[in-house]
Amino acid sequence: MTTKPSIPVGGQALVEGVMFQGRSESASAILRKNGSIETFSQPRILVPWVQSLKKVPFLRGIVALYESLKNGSAHMTFASDRYDVDPSEDAVEKPEKKQNIFMVLMIAIVGVISYVFGKLIFNVTPALLAAMFQSVPALSGHVIQNLLEGGIKLVLLLSYLYLISLTPLIKRVFQYHGAEHKVINCYESGRPITVENVRASSRLHYRCGSSFILFTVFVGIGVYMIVPIDPLWVRLVSRIALLPVVIGISFEVLQFTNRFRDHRYLSVLGKPGLSLQLLTTREPNDEQIQVAIEAFETWERAETVQPDVKREG
C-alpha cells in the first residue's frame, strides 16, 4: 500500500550533489573525495510581500525564479566549496546555517542578473540571425520571421545543451539531476525511498526547469507575433521588454502541464519538455542515487520534525 505525500518538494542538481527544498526547509548532500556524504541544511528565507506576489498569476513565475535563486545560492556555494576538498586535509568548517541575509540577497541578485543577461543574449542573437534572412522573399514575412527566429533559438538551445553535456563535470551534474527527479518521482508515487525504488523511477519530471526553458521558446514565438519586426531596433527592444511576459506565461504553462500530467489527453502538452530532459538528465549510478536520498532524508527530517521558516521584513 502506498501513501501519497502531502508536502510538496522541489530540487536541483549541484556539483557532486543534490538539493531539495519544501515549504520551510532546504537541504543538500554532496559526495566527498573519500566516498563519504556530507550534508547541509537551512531554513528557507521567506519575505512576506514576496510570498503575496507568488499568488498573482503570471507574476508568480518571475517571483519563483528569484526565490529559487536566492534559496539555492547557499547550497550551490556549499557544494562548490566542499566537493573537491580532501577530507584528510579538511580545515574548512561547514557553512553557517544562519546565513547573512544581506550576502544571501546579493548573491541572489547577481544570480538573477546573470540569468537575465543570458536570456537577453539567447533572445537577441536569434532575432539578429533571423533578420539577416529578410532579404529572401520566402523568409521575409512577419509570421515566417517569428517562426524562423524561434527555430534558430531552439537549435541554439539544443546545441548548447548537447555540447556541455559532453564535458565530464556537466555529465555528472546531469546524472545528479536525474537522481533528483527519480527521488521526487518515487516520493510523489508514495513508495518508500530506497535505492531500488528510486532506480526504478523515471528520471523525467513535468515540473523541471528544463521544461520551463523550452516553454519560453514556444511562448516567445506567440508573444512576439504581436509586435513588429521592423525596424530592427524595435524588434530587439521588444525581445528585451517582453521577456518578463514570456517568463510569466511560460511558468503558467509549466504549472498547467504538471497539473494535468495524468490526464489522458492533456498530458501530451508536457511531452516536449520531458523530451528536452533526455538531454539535461542522465541515468545516475547507485552511489549518486544514495547521495540524492541522503539529501532528501535530511530535508524531510527538517521539514516534518522541526519546521522553522525564517522570515524577513
Side-chain angles (χ1 to χ4, degrees):
M1 181 177 178
T2 59
T3 304
K4 294 291 183 179
S6 58
I7 303 176
V9 60
Q12 70 181 66
L14 306 171
V15 177
E16 287 299 330
V18 175
M19 182 271 281
F20 291 102
Q21 64 178 10
R23 292 193 183 103
S24 61
E25 297 285 335
S26 61
S28 56
I30 60 170
L31 184 66
R32 301 295 300 277
K33 278 188 172 182
N34 65 347
S36 64
I37 299 174
E38 183 173 353
T39 62
F40 167 61
S41 62
Q42 68 172 11
R44 290 184 63 185
I45 302 174
L46 305 180
V47 184
W49 65 267
V50 171
Q51 299 309 301
S52 298
L53 291 179
K54 286 179 68 175
K55 300 176 183 179
V56 182
F58 301 105
L59 184 58
R60 57 189 174 185
I62 299 173
V63 176
L65 173 63
Y66 161 77
E67 190 176 54
S68 176
L69 289 168
K70 184 180 74 169
N71 286 320
S73 60
H75 295 276
M76 290 186 286
T77 301
F78 159 69
S80 61
D81 285 350
R82 300 290 289 168
Y83 87 97
D84 63 348
V85 176
D86 191 330
S88 65
E89 301 175 358
D90 201 347
V92 183
E93 297 182 356
K94 287 186 179 182
E96 293 286 340
K97 287 195 173 185
K98 291 185 177 181
Q99 300 292 316
N100 181 291
I101 293 177
F102 177 75
M103 289 300 297
V104 171
L105 182 61
M106 290 307 297
I107 291 174
I109 291 174
V110 171
V112 170
I113 292 175
S114 299
Y115 176 85
V116 171
F117 184 70
K119 290 296 292 181
L120 291 180
I121 295 176
F122 185 62
N123 279 274
V124 170
T125 302
L128 289 171
L129 292 175
M132 294 172 60
F133 291 93
Q134 279 191 277
S135 58
V136 181
L139 301 175
S140 62
H142 183 82
V143 174
I144 293 298
Q145 273 287 300
N146 276 284
L147 292 175
L148 178 61
E149 183 180 331
I152 293 173
K153 190 180 301 182
L154 183 60
V155 170
L156 289 177
L157 172 64
L158 296 178
S159 299
Y160 170 74
L161 290 175
Y162 173 73
L163 289 174
I164 65 171
S165 71
L166 299 179
T167 64
L169 176 62
I170 299 302
K171 182 179 179 180
R172 286 188 64 82
V173 170
F174 284 178
Q175 285 180 294
Y176 281 107
H177 191 192
E180 174 230 321
H181 283 184
K182 282 175 173 285
V183 168
I184 292 178
N185 281 324
C186 185
Y187 169 69
E188 292 181 341
S189 71
R191 292 176 295 164
I193 308 298
T194 65
V195 172
E196 293 73 21
N197 287 341
V198 171
R199 189 193 307 120
S201 301
S202 174
R203 77 177 202 254
L204 311 179
H205 197 283
Y206 276 83
R207 214 167 50 242
C208 176
S210 301
S211 298
F212 171 74
I213 293 173
L214 184 64
F215 290 147
T216 62
V217 175
F218 296 133
V219 169
I221 293 175
V223 170
Y224 298 143
M225 285 287 184
I226 66 175
V227 294
I229 59 174
D230 291 311
L232 180 59
W233 72 267
V234 172
R235 183 176 191 169
L236 297 180
V237 169
S238 68
R239 273 34 177 185
I240 298 172
L242 292 174
L243 185 55
V245 177
V246 172
I247 292 175
I249 296 176
S250 298
F251 182 80
E252 299 302 323
V253 173
L254 180 69
Q255 295 295 94
F256 181 84
T257 59
N258 180 64
R259 189 176 304 117
F260 292 98
R261 61 183 178 179
D262 296 322
H263 193 278
R264 183 175 180 181
Y265 301 110
L266 295 179
S267 62
V268 71
L269 296 175
K271 298 300 182 183
L274 294 180
S275 298
L276 183 63
Q277 292 174 42
L278 295 175
L279 273 178
T280 62
T281 65
R282 291 287 188 273
E283 284 294 335
N285 57 40
D286 285 357
E287 187 175 46
Q288 292 167 321
I289 289 175
Q290 189 59 59
V291 172
I293 290 176
E294 187 70 29
F296 177 84
E297 291 179 342
T298 301
W299 163 77
E300 190 174 40
R301 285 192 296 270
E303 185 80 31
T304 59
V305 178
Q306 294 179 327
D308 180 20
V309 183
K310 187 172 183 178
R311 297 184 181 274
E312 295 180 34

